[in-house]
Amino acid sequence: MAPEHRPGVEAYEASYEDTAAELSEEAYASRAGTGEPRQLAGWVSSYEAIAAGETSVTSDTIEAVTGRRPWTLAEFLRAEPASWAHLRRG
C-alpha cells in the first residue's frame, strides 16, 4: 500500500536504525532522572527488542518439557479467571 500523499508534506523513508535511534533518544529523555542508569538502559533495550520483533519468537520448549501444548491466551483467561479478576471494572 502506497503512503498517502499530503500537499506540503515531503515523503521521508526512515530505516529501522534511524527510527530505533530516535525512539531510544525519546525513551531516555522521557525517563531522565527516574531511576538508576542501568534500570533505564534495561527498560529502553527491552523496548528496542520488542520494536525489532526479537520477542516475537516462539518455541516448543513448554510442550517439550511438559508434554502438553501450551495454552493460548484465550484458554488461559477462560481457565484462570481469578488471576485477572482484579482487572475488571465494577
Side-chain angles (χ1 to χ4, degrees):
M1 176 195 254
E4 175 186 343
H5 175 71
R6 291 184 276 165
V9 177
E10 291 185 38
Y12 174 73
E13 187 173 322
S15 68
Y16 169 75
E17 291 78 17
D18 293 338
T19 304
E22 183 176 328
L23 293 175
S24 295
E25 290 171 17
E26 290 173 1
Y28 277 108
S30 71
R31 286 160 180 80
T34 60
E36 294 291 323
R38 69 178 176 197
Q39 290 173 322
L40 181 58
W43 181 88
V44 173
S45 64
S46 295
Y47 180 80
E48 291 169 344
I50 292 166
E54 295 171 5
T55 60
S56 64
V57 177
T58 59
S59 74
D60 66 348
T61 302
I62 298 295
E63 190 167 359
V65 171
T66 66
R68 295 183 307 202
R69 177 185 64 77
W71 286 349
T72 65
L73 177 59
E75 290 168 336
F76 171 77
L77 295 175
R78 278 192 299 274
E80 300 290 337
S83 68
W84 57 274
H86 66 283
L87 300 173
R88 288 190 243 169
R89 293 185 181 174

